[in-house]
Amino acid sequence: MAASVHSAGLDTARSALESACEEVTDAGERDAVDGVAASTVARPASTEQVADVMRAAAAHHLVVVPRGRGTKLTWGRPPTRVDLLVDLSRMNAVVDHAAGDLIVEAQAGTSLADIQETVALAGQRLGVDETVIGASVGGTLATATSGPGRVTLGTVRDLLIGVTVVRADGVVAKAGGRVVKNVAGYDLGKLIIGSYGTLAIVTQAVFRLHPQPGARRVVTQTFDEADHAQHLVQVVLHAQVVPAAVEVDYQSEGTGTVAVLLEGTEAGVEGRHAATVTLWGDGAQSSAEPPVWWGRYPWDDERSPGGEPGPRRTAIKATFALSGLAEVLTSGRAASGQAQVPLDLRGSAGAGVLYGSMPADADVNAISSVVDQLRSVCTSLGGSVVVLDAPSQVKAAIDTWGPVPAIDLMRRVKDQFDPDHRLAPGRFVGGI
Amino acid sequence: MSAFDAHRPPDAALIGDCVHCGFCLTTCPTYSLWGEEMDSPRGRIYLMKEGLEGEPMTDSMVGHYDACLGCMACVTACPSGVQYDKLIEATRAQVERRHTRSADERLLRAAIFALFPYPRRLRLLRGPLRLYQRSGLERLLRRTGILTRTPRLAALESLAPRLARNVQIPERIRASGRKRATVGMLLGCVQREFFPDVNVATARILQAEGCEVVVPKGQGCCGALSVHNGREPEAQRFARAVIDSFDRADVEYVVVNAAGCGSVMKEYAELLAGEPAYAERAKTFAGRVRDISEILVELGPVAPRHPLPMVAAYHDACHLAHAQGVRSQPRQLLAGIPGLEVREIADPMICCGSAGIYNVLYPEPARELGDRKAAAVLATGAELLITANPGCLMQVASSIQRQGGSIAMAHTTEVLDASIRGVALVRSPKRRRLVDHVRAISKRGRQLERRDRDSE
Amino acid sequence: MTSTHGTESTAGPVEGPLAPEDTPSTGTAGSNPEAMAAVTSRAREVLPARAVITDRIQLRTYECDGLAHYRVTPALVVLPETSTQLAAVVASCAEHQVPFVARGSGTGLSGGALPRADGVLIVTSRMRTIREIRREDQRAIVEPGVINLDVSKAATPVGYYYAPDPSSQQICSIGGNLAENSGGAHCLKYGFTTNHVLGAEFVTPAGDVVQLGGLAPDAPGYDLLGAVVGSEGTLGIATVVTLRLVRLPEEVRTMLCGFRSTDDAGAATSAIIGSGVLPAAIEMMDALAIEAAEAAVHCNYPDGAGAVLVIELDGPAVEVAHEFDEVERLCREHGAFEVRVATDAAERALIWKGRKSAFAAVGRISPDYIVQDGVIPRTALPEVLRAIAELSSSSGVRVANVFHAGDGNLHPLVLFDDAVEGAGDAADKVSGAILDLCISHGGSITGEHGVGIDKSAYMPKMFTDDDLDTMQLVRCAFDPYSIANPGKIFPTPRLCGEVPGHKRGAHPLVEAGKAEAF
């Protein structure tokens, strides 16, 4: 579109937006999405307003990127364009907490922390780790983040039971409901989860809750050899201690640590904890609290709580069959050594998910080679490597997503939901 | 033209009991082999329903009824209590009357039914069969592989049991010690001619447990094979003769040691319900029928048991476990034998493939089922397989031999008998062959044979 | 003569029962002879002879699944033995625009496997190999015809099992479980099929074979697998499935508690959940259901019980011991007059036998019945049960209740005798009213049986047009020509608009005036 026509279009679009929502402003520097400047920001206060905004955006062919609290806007690839940033931070209320039914309903802009605070009043919790400080419900759903707790509690994929979305054409749709057991219709929630805002905008979500455990204990053990780490993990998974989480931390050099979290009743935890210590033998350490790195992505290590993020590091997510842990750890170190770029790995060894971090100033080719090697190993282990985030020059050179089977089918799904490709185009797999 | 006529068609009410839940499918041997609806109990019931609704009795419909082994595992599994046994029997009779099978199948069936229900004719086979087994002919035939080209003949051949010496059982046997009951005993047909030791053992046990045993002469065949293959008039004829024979004997119970026979005799009331002269007598008779393991448990053991230190596996014959619901009694009896360890066989509810004459008529599926059962039996690591039906015994023996395995086999009564008499159970097929061979060729052997004969 | 004696039916559609033949849901026999001939001939090329069924009396045995109320004879039945064979048949269907329906063991309770009179029934019962049990990865890789319970049997020797356990698990297939997102008694603690399916080789309605998910979680891209599980065969057919295996618990304690009333039992349930204990299962049966189970399997439940709770706790022995004390105390506090604890596997099996045979067993106390599958929030349980009791007494229609008390999934069994004039209609009315109750309490019309053909008319009561429209966007992406199990789930099919690169004439439904093109 010619620039002048484009800007004229944006003007009429702006007035349409303003009649849809009272908070519409020009975008500033801080509203850029992964280096792509936005034109306008709208901050709707309700699902109806989101719908009106999206209808206006549709009428004026605006390219839209939704934002929760902006903690993961640099994840994925940069959007091709951002005409409108739909900011959901005003929609930050816990709508309903039905403690007797163990469910909570919240708007998409609500922070995970607020939800936890609310449900804790009834001795309950939402089984989603706040791996990114300040994360919103919507952003968590969009990127499907998860932490140590996924081993027993599952991820948002397993905890979301109902969702309200607004489509690119402004239509509001609900899927699921307020009951955990529900197979009426398609599970749209699962489709939306991890879609990076490219299918629809989540405005409200219902989650199932769990009771707070009575007690918890942690057992840790260090290791030098990756095989030893695998042994520790396997032994604790196959035993009868039922770990709530099994994490591994393996920095670019030095010994690594395996840490197991046990939760349950006082007496139960005591017994299982003793059993774990016995199982692991010499060197097993026990404590009341998990290690400092627990539930924190390795690329956030240098960030002080509540502080600004430092220069952007390369952040990767590796998945693999459980039995491949040693191989992943070993090849990670080998690739890192070969390319001479430090790679810190950390994550849920008990789920087959590891996160990796490489320094902000590392050479692009070096990072590329580490990613390629790790990706090849993980693919052979039935998994994948995704570059969640990286400095822009790295993103430009690297294959963010890796091979994606069924990409054609995914494109067709995108075409149905967003035929004009106006929702966060370019952020997702296959250029979607 | 509709599949069924008005004379005792499968009962619509019984068919209606089926709620189509499918719980029977995994217990059905043919479904486990072929995985198709038409060869499952649920599917066969549906075919019967179709027949009642006016669909014709086509070759394919008959084929599915014929493929049913009649093992009744589905009856055990069904939560709605569908009486599939009654349905399939009624259906088979209709098929027999209204459907014309292929020429060679008719021939085979005619041959089977001209032979198996007649002990005297079976006896005539003994000589030739013995000769066949003892001369090198059996080995030669198997080596040439001729039999593989004629599966049915091969089936017959492989099923043929190694023959024991025949024994005459007296008509009346006095009880040992205090008499607790007077019981009649069915000798059977195949059991009588090919496994006479089982009848001997049965009689001895009953005697030892305080029963006076009456073995009516000329008692004939119980009609099981006929019932299970839809030959209704023939079955009724046999049933009447058996009832007459045992009524004359005036016994409290009629004891049976073959599972198939016992299950049919318990259903004489239904079989002869339409005959005024026999209906009541059949009901009374049926109420008196007991499997040997049932009566022994009912009476309670009095004869002391001696140890039999062996590891055995017990195989539930379908017509004992499913059709008669007799599962715990044989196990109880075996548990009473000191030193005997009895192991369970995996998938016990699935038929071994014998199913009366099924393994002769349909050797391929029977073979596959036999192989599966054999593998499961061998997997128990037992040295002895105990079962309550001659058919099962032949089928499993042949399957195990085909797999190159070996295991001793015995009827429940033979094991119990050995324990009561305090003798070792010698039942190794290999050992028996060797002994037979030695005896046949050596003078000393002939002397031994004469001596054994005299001591009986 | 069609006998409905003892047959099972469920809630009729809202407008009144429609014979399936009258709706576009099930197609018309003989409406596409050339296309069917082409597909049949292709099937004969790629499948062994025994796998292609055209004989009428044989075709008829596939007329219905576990919901015998609806029957439609398929035009063709195939039993492929490999993914390639299955994909070839689907590709042929796509080429000739012939609808297809997938079927596992045919035990579904919503008519999801009800065939199309103008289509192919693709039966997966011969694809029944358990390919791998991978203990170190806690995964099993199986073919869709594998029986649910057999997965657990295969994994038990290495200390694992497959957690989702529908009551029909001894016969239902993994493929069917995947299509319906089946639950079971233990899904309170362990989740449903969708939480245990991690990957699938999947045949799309175009006949393409794609890989969704895999051994590892979180595959990049859209969670198509998540959309496929529970899609009731309308998005394609899974031909290999990667399942999650769960460690067999150290200890399992099963208890049977007798209460005087469902109110008491319901209160006990709430108390247990509220205390923070998460049992593996909490099942409730009312007096009528107990009577049926007793008649069928002689489970010997407590005499005089107005309701029983079957509660199962599992996990590490130390945890179970503590939880058990808590649960027993709470049950007694809420009026349990008898608490029976299973001391061995046989007793445990017997306690469960009563519960698991309940549906089929009801056939012994009533000639006919409708089984429902509504869900309500657990806290609404006492109120809804009371409402059901009122419905029952005011209409004179008996209702036996069997349900997953832990998660509010009700299975009211509406009993009637079809031979009595008007009894069927009265039962339909009560059944429908129960579903309305569920919806009005913020629940669902189906917790585990699926929508199928049976409840599609209820979808508009639970979802708006926009909701249904959005779901059908997914359908259009996978199945633009609407050949994958058409007529199921959605009462009104949505047409998918122009498909790039493929021009066609007007859709037959549009020509028939039965649908609109958007």
Side-chain angles (χ1 to χ4, degrees):
Chain A
M1 231 194 275
S4 55
V5 177
H6 182 67
S7 52
L10 280 174
D11 283 339
T12 43
R14 178 63 173 262
S15 36
L17 290 172
E18 277 162 356
S19 34
C21 159
E22 65 273 11
E23 274 198 40
V24 180
T25 56
D26 288 333
E29 247 181 63
R30 303 175 66 120
D31 298 315
V33 179
D34 202 5
V36 177
S39 302
T40 317
V41 180
R43 295 182 68 216
S46 68
T47 302
E48 293 67 41
Q49 283 197 5
V50 174
D52 290 339
V53 164
M54 292 307 291
R55 248 194 304 279
H60 293 88
H61 309 290
L62 301 181
V63 170
V64 177
V65 172
R67 172 171 79 188
R69 290 171 168 243
T71 55
K72 294 175 285 292
L73 278 181
T74 57
W75 283 29
R77 298 197 63 78
T80 51
R81 191 169 100 217
V82 186
D83 295 331
L84 173 68
L85 195 61
V86 174
D87 181 300
L88 292 154
S89 55
R90 281 175 75 199
M91 296 179 62
N92 62 354
V94 172
V95 171
D96 183 27
H97 172 213
D101 293 319
L102 285 162
I103 62 159
V104 69
E105 186 165 6
Q107 294 179 320
T110 316
S111 71
L112 290 179
D114 283 348
I115 295 181
Q116 299 292 16
E117 205 182 298
T118 309
V119 305
L121 297 171
Q124 296 172 352
R125 60 172 171 174
L126 175 61
V128 180
D129 291 296
E130 192 178 350
T131 48
V132 177
I133 311 295
S136 70
V137 164
T140 304
L141 291 174
T143 54
T145 57
S146 64
R150 65 180 294 161
V151 169
T152 33
L153 298 176
T155 63
V156 281
R157 190 187 184 274
D158 307 298
L159 300 167
L160 182 75
I161 61 175
V163 73
T164 307
V165 301
V166 176
R167 293 178 355 198
D169 55 6
V171 169
V172 178
K174 278 189 159 88
R178 288 171 53 96
V179 285
V180 175
K181 249 179 132 180
N182 184 359
V183 294
Y186 296 151
D187 196 342
L188 284 187
K190 295 218 172 33
L191 207 51
I192 300 293
I193 289 173
S195 63
Y196 278 67
T198 58
L199 286 181
I201 301 184
V202 175
T203 56
Q204 208 151 293
V206 186
F207 296 96
R208 71 160 291 176
L209 299 168
H210 285 87
Q212 293 267 22
R216 59 201 290 220
R217 288 269 240 158
V218 176
V219 183
T220 58
Q221 166 95 292
T222 56
F223 63 91
D224 288 307
E225 298 300 320
D227 282 337
H228 187 203
Q230 174 144 333
H231 167 79
L232 293 172
V233 169
Q234 287 278 315
V235 119
V236 89
L237 284 178
H238 300 312
Q240 290 291 4
V241 296
V242 189
V246 183
E247 292 280 296
V248 72
D249 182 58
Y250 197 47
Q251 307 273 305
S252 56
E253 49 193 36
T255 58
T257 313
V258 180
V260 163
L261 172 67
L262 300 157
E263 290 179 335
T265 63
E266 194 78 55
V269 167
E270 195 45 53
R272 289 146 62 201
H273 150 264
T276 308
V277 169
T278 310
L279 262 176
W280 277 4
D282 280 337
Q285 303 265 5
S286 128
S287 66
E289 288 304 313
V292 287
W293 47 261
W294 188 270
R296 188 162 49 181
Y297 293 133
W299 54 84
D300 281 335
D301 275 353
E302 272 147 41
R303 178 180 179 170
S304 50
E308 286 297 313
R312 221 191 293 172
R313 315 190 92 220
T314 298
I316 66 172
K317 177 178 178 183
T319 65
F320 48 93
L322 293 176
S323 62
L325 177 67
E327 204 179 327
V328 172
L329 293 176
T330 308
S331 13
R333 249 216 198 157
S336 149
Q338 212 174 61
Q340 294 191 330
V341 49
L343 169 72
D344 295 333
L345 291 171
R346 178 186 306 154
S348 302
V353 178
L354 284 185
Y355 300 95
S357 167
M358 288 180 274
D361 55 0
D363 172 58
V364 173
N365 293 319
I367 293 179
S368 249
S369 110
V370 171
V371 168
D372 284 344
Q373 286 183 62
L374 212 47
R375 180 170 279 155
S376 147
V377 167
C378 288
T379 309
S380 75
L381 292 169
S384 62
V385 166
V386 167
V387 179
L388 293 175
D389 199 1
S392 49
Q393 70 272 23
V394 174
K395 273 201 197 180
I398 215 163
D399 179 359
T400 298
W401 303 102
V404 179
I407 182 66
D408 289 333
L409 207 42
M410 292 181 195
R411 278 193 230 280
R412 295 222 297 267
V413 171
K414 168 70 173 180
D415 288 342
Q416 288 292 326
F417 276 78
D418 180 20
D420 299 331
H421 288 221
R422 290 181 304 101
L423 285 181
R427 285 195 75 185
F428 204 46
V429 297
I432 289 179
Chain B
M1 182 167 70
S2 189
F4 304 119
D5 63 30
H7 173 70
R8 301 178 84 181
D11 189 343
L14 295 185
I15 288 176
D17 283 341
C18 173
V19 298
H20 223 255
C21 71
F23 276 44
C24 53
L25 264 55
T26 44
T27 63
C28 174
T30 52
Y31 188 79
S32 78
L33 286 179
W34 303 321
E36 47 176 50
E37 188 73 15
M38 304 79 76
D39 283 307
S40 73
R42 183 175 66 172
R44 291 188 180 108
I45 291 172
Y46 208 89
L47 287 172
M48 293 173 198
K49 193 176 82 70
E50 292 181 36
L52 288 175
E53 286 171 1
E55 298 279 2
M57 186 179 283
T58 60
D59 283 348
S60 70
M61 187 187 275
V62 170
H64 295 305
Y65 296 143
D66 281 351
C68 170
L69 280 84
C71 68
M72 308 306 167
C74 51
V75 174
T76 301
C78 178
S80 306
V82 176
Q83 296 175 73
Y84 180 83
D85 50 339
K86 294 201 164 65
L87 287 172
I88 194 65
E89 269 168 33
T91 304
R92 292 213 212 267
Q94 291 265 344
V95 168
E96 200 61 24
R97 259 206 326 280
R98 295 167 59 74
H99 185 82
T100 313
R101 293 203 170 84
S102 66
D104 51 275
E105 195 165 337
R106 270 182 285 142
L107 197 63
L108 178 61
R109 282 170 180 262
I112 290 172
F113 282 96
L115 179 65
F116 279 63
Y118 302 101
R120 254 175 283 180
R121 297 178 200 177
L122 283 174
R123 191 175 311 154
L124 292 176
L125 255 190
R126 284 178 56 89
L129 188 54
R130 232 169 155 171
L131 187 62
Y132 167 76
Q133 286 171 347
R134 288 187 180 183
S135 69
L137 187 58
E138 177 184 27
R139 251 168 315 161
L140 183 66
L141 213 59
R142 287 192 183 180
R143 225 179 309 145
T144 60
I146 284 178
L147 295 169
T148 52
R149 274 178 255 138
T150 42
R152 277 179 174 156
L153 198 55
L156 268 168
E157 195 277 342
S158 79
L159 287 167
R162 306 234 50 97
L163 294 183
R165 204 174 34 251
N166 206 346
V167 169
Q168 284 303 324
I169 297 188
E171 244 188 283
R172 193 169 280 268
I173 301 168
R174 221 189 295 275
S176 225
R178 180 179 74 86
K179 180 167 94 164
R180 296 201 284 161
T182 308
V183 307
M185 186 174 134
L186 187 84
L187 293 175
C189 305
V190 170
Q191 189 90 290
R192 183 198 318 209
E193 292 308 323
F194 293 140
F195 300 98
D197 289 354
V198 174
N199 282 341
V200 170
T202 306
R204 275 202 290 248
I205 297 173
L206 287 166
Q207 177 184 53
E209 294 285 27
C211 295
E212 178 167 327
V213 186
V214 182
V215 186
K217 230 170 152 72
Q219 50 183 250
C221 171
C222 71
L225 287 180
S226 312
V227 168
H228 293 150
N229 288 282
R231 299 163 68 100
E232 201 181 340
E234 181 181 79
Q236 286 162 334
R237 197 167 22 97
F238 285 134
R240 287 193 295 268
V242 165
I243 291 175
D244 286 339
S245 158
F246 279 91
D247 274 357
R248 278 196 293 271
D250 192 25
V251 295
E252 294 166 66
Y253 300 102
V254 178
V255 176
V256 192
N257 59 15
C261 306
S263 85
V264 157
M265 286 163 69
K266 286 183 181 178
E267 290 171 4
Y268 273 176
E270 282 84 19
L271 183 61
L272 298 173
E275 294 181 41
Y278 277 88
E280 274 311 306
R281 291 175 63 195
K283 219 186 277 183
T284 320
F285 178 89
R288 290 201 197 117
V289 175
R290 297 285 187 280
D291 179 76
I292 177 71
S293 64
E294 276 185 293
I295 190 67
L296 291 177
V297 169
E298 232 172 284
L299 290 173
V302 294
R305 310 313 200 219
H306 299 90
L308 268 185
M310 301 184 83
V311 177
Y314 176 73
H315 164 70
D316 291 280
C318 291
H319 279 96
L320 198 56
H322 297 307
Q324 299 183 57
V326 173
R327 279 181 209 92
S328 63
Q329 295 93 324
R331 288 176 168 82
Q332 231 174 298
L333 291 170
L334 294 172
I337 298 175
L340 180 68
E341 180 192 335
V342 179
R343 295 188 182 159
E344 293 293 329
I345 302 170
D347 292 327
M349 298 282 113
I350 301 263
C351 180
C352 66
S354 169
I357 50 166
Y358 188 91
N359 50 6
V360 180
L361 293 172
Y362 305 104
E364 282 101 4
R367 168 182 288 242
E368 239 198 281
L369 290 166
D371 284 345
R372 289 185 190 191
K373 185 62 74 176
V377 167
L378 292 171
T380 62
E383 55 192 300
L384 173 69
L385 175 66
I386 306 173
T387 187
N389 206 40
C392 299
L393 215 131
M394 291 192 286
Q395 168 77 351
V396 180
S398 131
S399 303
I400 287 182
Q401 190 172 63
R402 199 169 41 240
Q403 291 195 11
S406 88
I407 190 172
M409 279 179 250
H411 191 283
T412 319
T413 55
E414 292 178 297
V415 177
L416 199 50
D417 175 55
S419 169
I420 290 175
R421 286 196 299 142
V423 302
L425 191 65
V426 178
R427 270 290 174 276
S428 160
K430 266 204 212 125
R431 239 193 281 180
R432 150 106 343 137
R433 256 201 290 282
L434 185 60
V435 163
D436 285 345
H437 189 64
V438 164
R439 283 183 173 185
I441 62 172
S442 77
K443 183 162 138 192
R444 172 74 178 139
R446 288 196 287 273
Q447 272 176 343
L448 282 170
E449 195 157 350
R450 232 177 293 127
R451 189 203 70 183
D452 279 356
R453 221 192 351 247
D454 293 339
S455 74
E456 282 297 323
Chain C
M1 177 215 89
T2 337
S3 170
T4 52
H5 177 88
T7 51
E8 178 200 315
S9 48
T10 75
V14 173
E15 290 82 30
L18 289 169
E21 298 73 33
D22 295 344
T23 73
S25 316
T26 51
T28 313
S31 61
N32 55 352
E34 293 93 32
M36 276 313 311
V39 172
T40 306
S41 141
R42 177 72 182 134
R44 289 209 165 103
E45 271 171 38
V46 297
L47 270 61
R50 62 175 180 262
V52 182
I53 297 173
T54 50
D55 176 320
R56 179 182 160 71
I57 60 117
Q58 295 177 329
L59 289 174
R60 286 200 57 195
T61 60
Y62 285 97
E63 279 178 344
C64 58
D65 57 15
L67 187 60
H69 186 70
Y70 301 114
R71 301 163 203 263
V72 174
T73 309
L76 174 71
V77 170
V78 295
L79 293 108
E81 293 164 25
T82 68
S83 311
T84 316
Q85 288 175 6
L86 194 148
V89 173
V90 173
S92 181
C93 287
E95 188 186 335
H96 300 282
Q97 292 296 291
V98 168
F100 65 88
V101 176
R103 172 183 164 122
S105 300
T107 55
L109 294 172
S110 57
L114 182 70
R116 293 272 309 195
D118 59 349
V120 184
L121 187 70
I122 302 178
V123 183
T124 59
S125 56
R126 289 216 178 112
M127 295 172 68
R128 47 190 174 169
T129 305
I130 295 177
R131 298 214 180 157
E132 287 182 72
I133 299 285
R134 300 173 68 128
R135 178 181 174 271
E136 284 72 33
D137 296 325
Q138 299 183 332
R139 303 281 183 268
I141 301 181
V142 307
E143 293 179 1
V146 168
I147 305 295
N148 175 298
L149 190 59
D150 286 349
V151 180
S152 289
K153 280 190 193 162
T156 301
V158 296
Y160 279 79
Y161 76 111
Y162 179 63
D165 62 340
S167 301
S168 56
Q169 65 175 153
Q170 61 192 110
I171 178 57
C172 62
S173 69
I174 290 296
N177 289 165
L178 189 153
E180 302 294 328
N181 191 11
S182 306
H186 289 79
C187 62
L188 173 64
K189 182 171 178 184
Y190 291 102
F192 332 113
T193 301
T194 194
N195 309 110
H196 295 267
V197 170
L198 298 155
E201 176 190 86
F202 191 74
V203 175
T204 70
D208 300 321
V209 181
V210 296
Q211 184 64 34
L212 305 177
L215 284 172
D218 300 1
Y222 294 136
D223 187 1
L224 297 182
L225 184 63
V228 155
V229 176
S231 62
E232 306 191 26
T234 58
L235 300 181
I237 306 178
T239 48
V240 182
V241 188
T242 303
L243 302 172
R244 181 202 308 274
L245 295 175
V246 174
R247 183 75 175 89
L248 278 168
E250 185 174 32
E251 179 167 334
V252 178
R253 228 181 272 196
T254 312
M255 45 203 292
L256 178 67
C257 303
F259 293 82
R260 299 280 172 219
S261 70
T262 53
D263 267 356
D264 287 347
T269 305
S270 289
I272 292 168
I273 307 282
S275 75
V277 171
L278 191 64
I282 310 184
E283 301 285 293
M284 198 190 304
M285 292 168 70
D286 71 2
L288 209 43
I290 295 169
E291 187 188 321
E294 193 59 48
V297 300
H298 313 296
C299 40
N300 199 22
Y301 281 4
D303 240 336
V308 291
L309 282 184
V310 176
I311 302 174
E312 191 154 277
L313 304 164
D314 70 18
V318 276
E319 294 283 352
V320 170
H322 177 91
E323 286 182 347
F324 174 78
D325 290 339
E326 186 72 7
V327 169
E328 192 188 0
R329 182 181 65 80
L330 288 168
C331 282
R332 291 203 191 273
E333 259 175 39
H334 288 86
F337 63 86
E338 183 174 333
V339 175
R340 222 184 277 172
V341 184
T343 54
D344 61 26
E347 281 179 22
R348 177 182 177 223
L350 191 58
I351 291 180
W352 278 109
K353 202 172 178 191
R355 164 61 190 91
K356 294 206 172 201
S357 316
F359 290 3
V362 158
R364 290 179 193 253
I365 64 168
S366 172
D368 306 285
Y369 61 95
I370 300 173
V371 60
Q372 262 306 356
D373 177 41
V375 186
I376 49 165
R378 187 179 31 253
T379 46
L381 204 60
E383 195 183 314
V384 171
L385 284 179
R386 228 170 289 135
I388 293 178
E390 267 164 38
L391 266 172
S392 171
S393 61
S394 63
S395 64
V397 178
R398 291 187 303 167
V399 180
N401 286 295
V402 174
F403 47 96
H404 312 287
D407 50 37
N409 186 192
L410 309 171
H411 293 304
L413 297 151
V414 183
L415 312 178
F416 67 103
D417 185 350
D418 212 24
V420 172
E421 177 100 32
D425 287 333
D428 273 340
K429 258 214 205 75
V430 168
S431 181
I434 293 174
L435 268 191
D436 285 336
L437 261 177
C438 293
I439 297 175
S440 65
H441 278 86
S444 173
I445 58 174
T446 173
E448 43 187 20
H449 296 170
V451 176
I453 195 168
D454 189 59
K455 299 183 205 70
S456 57
Y458 273 84
M459 288 291 274
K461 285 195 156 195
M462 194 174 158
F463 298 107
T464 65
D465 284 346
D466 287 338
D467 299 336
L468 296 176
D469 191 63
T470 307
M471 287 185 208
Q472 295 213 65
L473 290 176
V474 180
R475 182 103 186 245
C476 287
F478 278 77
D479 183 26
Y481 299 116
S482 218
I483 59 167
N485 210 5
K488 307 284 168 52
I489 307 182
F490 304 103
T492 315
R494 178 193 201 279
L495 295 170
C496 300
E498 282 286 328
V499 179
H502 195 113
K503 301 280 181 210
R504 293 174 59 236
H507 193 284
L509 284 177
V510 174
E511 284 190 343
K514 285 183 174 165
E516 277 181 23
F518 283 88

